[in-house]
Amino acid sequence: MPMYEYRCQSCNHQFELRQKFSDAPAAECPQCGGVVEKMISQTAFSLKGEGWFNSGYCPSSGGPKPAACSAGG
């Protein structure tokens, strides 16, 4: 389940909630009961393993090749 960050518009309290995609967004601050807004935050998502550009993927044809490919990767 994804983690969402919220900030209270009244007291500026920031908190995180683990919610399903189908769950309704949080509506009130757990500290003061004020209205909250969903924040946009950086994710920890990254593509790992063989076959991705950051680990040496070198396409065989078409398009520009990453610098790692010309350096012997």
Side-chain angles (χ1 to χ4, degrees):
M1 264 190 276
M3 189 76 96
Y4 294 100
E5 284 186 295
Y6 292 90
R7 179 186 297 140
C8 178
Q9 294 177 355
S10 299
C11 69
N12 285 326
H13 173 65
Q14 291 184 15
F15 61 98
E16 296 178 336
L17 285 178
R18 186 175 303 269
Q19 297 177 298
K20 296 179 184 178
F21 289 112
S22 59
D23 288 348
E28 92 177 23
C29 175
Q31 278 193 336
C32 73
V35 177
V36 296
E37 62 184 349
K38 189 184 285 189
M39 298 172 58
I40 297 175
S41 56
Q42 184 175 355
T43 64
F45 176 79
S46 66
L47 301 173
K48 295 186 178 187
E50 294 190 27
W52 300 103
F53 280 97
N54 65 351
S55 64
Y57 172 73
C58 296
S60 58
S61 63
K65 293 188 178 195
C69 293
S70 60

